[in-house]
Amino acid sequence: MKPATYILLLLSLLAQSACTKEKPHDEKQGEVVRASIGPIKTTVKMVYIPGGEYMPFYGAIDSNAVKVPAFLIDERAVTNEEFLSFVTANPQWRKSSILRIHADTNYLRDWPSDLELPKDARPDAPVCFVSWFAAKAFAKSAGKRLPTLDEWEFIAMADADTFNARSKKQYSDAIIQLYMEKGRQFKPVKQSAPNYWGVYNVFDLIWEWTDDFNSIMSIGDSRTGGENNNKDLFCAAGATSASEVNNYAAFMRFGMRTAVKAHYTIANMGFRCAKDTSNQTTQ
Amino acid sequence: MRNKLNIKQMKMKRLILSVTSIGMITILTSCGGVAGDKPTAENKTAAIDMKVTGEAKVAEVTSAPNVPAPVGDRGPQKWIVNLETTEIEAEIADGINYTFWTFNNTVPGSFIRVREGDEVELRLKNAANSVLPHNIDLHAVTGPGGGAEATSAAPGQEAVLHFKALNPGLYVYHCAAPPVPMHIGNGMYGLILVEPAGGLPKVDREYYIMQGDFYTKAAAKAGLTEFNNDKAVAEEPDYVLFNGKKGSLLGKNMIEAKVGETVRLFVGNGGPNLTSSFHVIGEIFDNVYLEGGSTVSHNVQTTMIPAGGSAIVEFKVDYPGQYVLVDHSLSRAFNKGAIGKLKVTGEANPLIFNKGKK
């Protein structure tokens, strides 16, 4: 093929792809409207985490510690009450108007109507049946963001007394004990003791969305050219790329993360928000 | 890998055939080697090309010790198989409950029965009140992870896997969600039978038995116990059980047959750790489909069933009585629950067995 024809072909291909990208024009305009978020005020205390180096449980196949910069994190999960104020201020995130690509049909499943909490739900229990998209929008409206997976797992290393309890024998067992309790998501926040950092309910109420919950795949891809993708999490292969094979609790969390998609809404999955320290005036 | 194995199998088979042809051909044909008579690689190619007919139907699945109806001589079809993963409390031994994780609320999970060439749409629903995600790895499936990744289902979600059954045999399926020893240790396994074209030879009785080892904690609440990771890592189970419960095949739950009948047991081993030395006291297996595959052995006393493996055993019952099924690693039978019974009724033939008279 002559270079000229080649270039022509390339150009035509580019033109084509540009066309296909522009096609859903109306949708894009809709996006703009929907993207605007009405601000809400939350009173939740944020805890300062100084950050530091930590060994990711999963994906650190080259045994390199990851540096987590300092950040702020909500001391507890977002509650039903708070999510109600969010959808009140943001009609596009209400049950009846949310886009199906942003949440599956179970979104806020037990809410009888757009602005009504489930009858027997406690306002101070964590909100569940929310998608990653909705969680992200909430965080934005509160002037925050979702924590990264590394930030979340950094906090999760702590028990009540130490910032890194992963080497303690009872660490994983104690967490599993909490994980196994059914219906725990209906309990109010902050009823159990906080961890070393002063963060509540890291394990005992819900699974929590993180900003990059599905990043195990990309970590694997970028470091090993795809050899260490998330398939390795299944069956015994999971043991080949985890840093602590006995940390069954962490396996469960990563199993959960690989089982969800951003529009999923799940009975025992909610979130808490985080923030960069640079934006923070107090603390 | 598979092709290499198949070539090896073929060579082996030819060897066996040539040896047996010297004098044992009659025995071989009368006992029916089924798919074992044909080289497996050829079978597989044939299975890929087998055309299914008709609309997809919902497949009958059963809980142990029952199995669905044989495929008989029907052609390849499309099936929908529904499985639900659940986390439930149920009795593991007298007065002690355990938090089981299951397929369709039973341990072992539902028995699935198809034939080679069948196309299966497996719908795996994870119960809404599950705490954890679950999935299914079927050893009968050719493809990445046996379907584990493709079927990964968060609580309340459903995942679908389409597969074509290529290799006849009795296969284990299990949950492969992390941490896998815990999911299996809690009871997430079952059997899927892929019958060869034309079906397995007819027998009078068929039963489904699956062994598993269980590791428990000192009861946290009164009468309720759960998975103990330390014991599992040490491979020191408190219970080794048939069909997920002490006494599941004893008393009024004994499996039954009549004198003169042929019995086929589909025996699986979920593990997660122990290999079973499966034996029926007072019986000799006429046929054993070794490791659930196509090679049939005869006149076997005890057959080895690896964790994540199976065997099909067949025998004719000739004499009435209670026949005890055990893992012949006997501490497991005597102390840990790996014991069941087959009750045979009918007329006694003193020629076969006769309690000593002077």
Side-chain angles (χ1 to χ4, degrees):
Chain A
M1 204 186 287
K2 282 179 188 167
T5 6
Y6 185 71
I7 286 165
L8 260 176
L9 195 76
L10 232 153
L11 274 174
S12 70
L13 271 173
L14 273 174
Q16 253 183 9
S17 66
C19 282
T20 44
K21 261 189 189 160
E22 252 172 276
K23 228 179 179 180
H25 203 72
D26 295 344
E27 250 182 64
K28 261 201 167 170
Q29 277 180 341
E31 258 328 87
V32 175
V33 178
R34 284 179 177 275
S36 70
I37 284 282
I40 55 157
K41 269 214 141 117
T42 60
T43 53
V44 60
K45 188 184 161 199
M46 293 195 91
V47 177
Y48 175 79
I49 310 290
E53 293 221 322
Y54 99 115
M55 188 64 75
F57 168 72
Y58 197 79
I61 39 99
D62 49 5
S63 304
N64 278 346
V66 166
K67 197 171 160 49
V68 179
F71 62 101
L72 292 162
I73 188 128
D74 286 357
E75 65 168 351
R76 55 160 175 80
V78 171
T79 62
N80 282 320
E81 196 169 37
E82 286 169 333
F83 205 81
L84 177 60
S85 68
F86 164 70
V87 291
T88 306
N90 293 281
Q92 72 273 32
W93 290 97
R94 288 175 193 169
K95 195 176 162 152
S96 63
S97 46
I98 191 166
L99 289 178
R100 208 52 333 135
I101 54 161
H102 284 163
D104 64 25
T105 52
N106 282 333
Y107 179 64
L108 302 176
R109 194 191 69 180
D110 299 327
W111 294 36
S113 68
D114 272 351
L115 300 175
E116 223 180 323
L117 295 183
K119 286 221 160 48
D120 37 11
R122 297 192 52 139
D124 55 354
V127 66
C128 290
F129 286 116
V130 286
S131 65
W132 175 85
F133 289 108
K136 219 169 150 62
F138 178 100
K140 195 172 175 189
S141 85
K144 301 178 187 176
R145 59 173 173 80
L146 292 179
T148 64
L149 196 148
D150 282 333
E151 287 170 342
W152 202 99
E153 288 291 322
F154 185 84
I155 295 166
M157 293 195 298
D159 63 3
D161 316 309
T162 45
F163 83 94
N164 183 0
R166 291 208 297 202
S167 57
K168 289 189 187 173
K169 195 169 168 355
Q170 70 278 19
Y171 164 79
S172 171
D173 267 4
I175 297 169
I176 289 172
Q177 198 85 40
L178 298 171
Y179 281 169
M180 288 302 94
E181 196 185 320
K182 274 191 200 289
R184 61 201 161 100
Q185 69 268 27
F186 303 119
K187 293 183 188 171
V189 295
K190 282 183 74 173
Q191 300 299 299
S192 51
N195 74 0
Y196 172 83
W197 300 111
V199 178
Y200 290 84
N201 310 123
V202 181
F203 307 112
D204 63 346
L205 295 181
I206 50 170
W207 303 113
E208 296 185 17
W209 287 108
T210 58
D211 194 46
D212 51 344
F213 68 93
N214 53 0
S215 66
I216 315 155
M217 282 175 270
S218 53
I219 288 170
D221 286 350
S222 64
R223 291 186 186 186
T224 65
E227 274 174 36
N228 184 37
N229 62 23
N230 76 329
K231 280 177 201 147
D232 286 350
L233 199 55
F234 296 112
C235 208
T240 61
S241 27
S243 57
E244 291 156 19
V245 241
N246 273 329
N247 192 345
Y248 276 24
F251 271 116
M252 287 175 176
R253 280 200 298 283
F254 281 90
M256 189 67 192
R257 287 170 188 143
T258 53
V260 292
K261 295 192 175 121
H263 67 288
Y264 280 14
T265 67
I266 290 165
N268 56 359
M269 194 152 178
F271 66 102
R272 72 179 74 212
C273 301
K275 203 172 183 178
D276 295 344
T277 44
S278 51
N279 305 338
Q280 190 65 10
T281 46
T282 58
Q283 234 177 15
Chain B
M1 271 303 275
R2 256 209 173 145
N3 280 337
K4 266 188 196 168
L5 278 177
N6 287 336
I7 289 162
K8 263 191 190 166
Q9 281 174 8
M10 283 163 65
K11 279 182 184 165
M12 282 285 283
K13 221 144 279 161
R14 276 182 206 135
L15 189 73
I16 291 165
L17 278 175
S18 60
V19 170
T20 46
S21 65
I22 295 167
M24 296 181 67
I25 275 178
T26 39
I27 295 171
L28 194 75
T29 46
S30 68
C31 291
V34 197
D37 292 351
K38 281 183 263 169
T40 312
E42 259 173 47
N43 269 6
K44 197 169 171 181
T45 324
I48 292 170
D49 295 335
M50 284 174 186
K51 294 273 181 294
V52 293
T53 55
E55 291 299 300
K57 283 185 252 174
V58 175
E60 177 202 11
V61 295
T62 59
S63 58
N66 302 309
V67 296
V71 303
D73 56 5
R74 70 164 174 83
Q77 289 181 6
K78 280 188 192 171
W79 297 102
I80 295 163
V81 172
N82 291 306
L83 290 180
E84 186 183 30
T85 55
T86 62
E87 301 156 1
I88 56 167
E89 287 173 17
E91 195 171 76
I92 190 165
D94 295 330
I96 303 168
N97 278 14
Y98 181 84
T99 306
F100 289 100
W101 299 350
T102 80
F103 290 99
N104 285 352
N105 293 314
T106 57
V107 178
S110 298
F111 195 98
I112 304 166
R113 190 167 195 165
V114 295
R115 59 151 281 173
E116 60 174 329
D118 274 356
E119 289 172 18
V120 179
E121 177 180 321
L122 192 141
R123 297 177 184 172
L124 187 76
K125 187 173 171 33
N126 189 357
N129 72 345
S130 285
V131 172
L132 292 160
H134 298 293
N135 62 35
I136 188 167
D137 166 355
L138 301 112
H139 293 180
V141 166
T142 307
E149 195 198 357
T151 56
S152 187
Q157 302 284 335
E158 189 180 70
V160 178
L161 169 72
H162 293 265
F163 70 89
K164 193 169 177 77
L166 301 183
N167 302 60
L170 180 63
Y171 298 95
V172 168
Y173 67 79
H174 62 88
C175 181
V180 65
M182 185 171 180
H183 285 257
I184 292 178
N186 282 337
M188 296 197 82
Y189 45 75
L191 290 178
I192 172 169
L193 173 67
V194 181
E195 292 198 53
L200 291 168
K202 266 193 91 161
V203 290
D204 298 309
R205 307 263 180 174
E206 292 183 323
Y207 293 108
Y208 171 22
I209 298 167
M210 203 156 178
Q211 182 172 323
D213 25 308
F214 292 87
Y215 308 84
T216 65
K217 282 181 182 160
K221 290 180 223 165
L224 177 69
T225 182
E226 58 188 21
F227 183 74
N228 182 322
N229 189 38
D230 290 336
K231 286 184 187 171
V233 171
E235 303 191 14
E236 287 170 359
D238 299 285
Y239 302 101
V240 181
L241 302 173
F242 294 135
N243 294 348
K245 189 185 170 186
K246 210 167 179 175
S248 67
L249 298 171
L250 293 176
K252 63 179 195 303
N253 302 320
M254 276 188 256
I255 53 174
E256 293 175 3
K258 292 196 176 78
V259 167
E261 287 183 330
T262 44
V263 178
R264 175 181 290 141
L265 305 179
F266 297 105
V267 193
N269 185 6
N273 297 319
L274 301 187
T275 293
S276 175
S277 306
F278 187 71
H279 177 79
V280 178
I281 299 172
E283 265 298 344
I284 296 146
F285 304 141
D286 299 325
N287 307 315
V288 176
Y289 292 70
L290 294 172
E291 291 159 4
S294 305
T295 302
V296 181
S297 186
H298 306 288
N299 306 325
V300 175
Q301 56 192 309
T302 301
T303 194
M304 203 78 156
I305 308 176
S310 72
I312 305 171
V313 305
E314 297 171 354
F315 49 93
K316 189 176 168 213
V317 287
D318 296 303
Y319 195 87
Q322 293 185 1
Y323 294 83
V324 180
L325 287 57
V326 294
D327 179 340
H328 214 291
S329 298
L330 282 170
S331 299
R332 301 172 188 170
F334 201 82
N335 300 84
K336 295 184 175 179
I339 194 159
K341 275 182 181 177
L342 164 70
K343 185 178 166 187
V344 178
T345 52
E347 216 166 301
N349 178 354
L351 201 64
I352 296 174
F353 187 87
N354 190 4
K355 200 173 172 183
K357 280 177 199 149
K358 279 181 184 168

